[in-house]
Amino acid sequence: PGANNIVVLDAGGVMAAGTVKLDRMMRTEVQGSAVGTVTLNMGTVAAGDRIWVTGYTGTGSGTGALQWQKTSGTATVDWAGAAQLRSDAPNYVTCSGICRVTASGTLVLGAYTSGFTTPTVYGHAIVLNNG
């Protein structure tokens, strides 16, 4: 596959004919940064969409955490059965994962840090279209 392509696999994991360009699967891409907390407005999402998030924070000393969760909107999401996605680590923390939209509506996601003193939080999210 060329750049920005995703290989299409059938249910058995065998490559099906052709590839699908990432920009055809992606509905929304949002990124931002802020001290302590970053919020990303995902707009309107549909049930069945998947949202890939990644974030980074830290101050180089101490142990802290970074957590993704829904902050507002009418949509609901599921983080593999949990209400949020969280990572803990010393010095610097990355937190990445995928959530599933379980009910359509508007959605704002937030990445929050704890344990570090006034760090900048960086966030990036991509909504993958369900169909």
Side-chain angles (χ1 to χ4, degrees):
N4 297 319
N5 286 324
I6 294 176
V7 175
V8 178
L9 303 176
D10 67 15
V14 177
M15 184 173 167
T19 58
V20 177
K21 290 188 176 287
L22 180 59
D23 61 354
R24 290 189 62 202
M25 294 177 62
M26 181 177 64
R27 178 178 314 138
T28 305
E29 179 178 20
V30 181
Q31 63 183 1
S33 63
V35 173
T37 301
V38 65
T39 56
L40 302 178
N41 185 342
M42 305 312 301
T44 300
V45 294
D49 284 351
R50 302 302 191 262
I51 303 173
W52 173 76
V53 297
T54 188
Y56 168 83
T57 192
T59 59
S61 63
T63 298
L66 185 61
Q67 175 175 306
W68 281 100
Q69 65 187 45
K70 173 186 166 180
T71 60
S72 66
T74 57
T76 58
V77 295
D78 175 20
W79 303 88
Q84 71 278 329
L85 176 69
R86 180 184 168 111
S87 292
D88 298 87
N91 303 317
Y92 299 97
V93 180
T94 59
C95 185
S96 299
I98 297 174
C99 68
R100 177 176 58 100
V101 177
T102 55
S104 302
T106 58
L107 179 64
V108 176
L109 296 175
Y112 301 89
T113 188
S114 60
F116 296 121
T117 305
T118 61
T120 299
V121 178
Y122 301 90
H124 186 205
I126 297 174
V127 177
L128 298 174
N129 192 330
N130 70 355

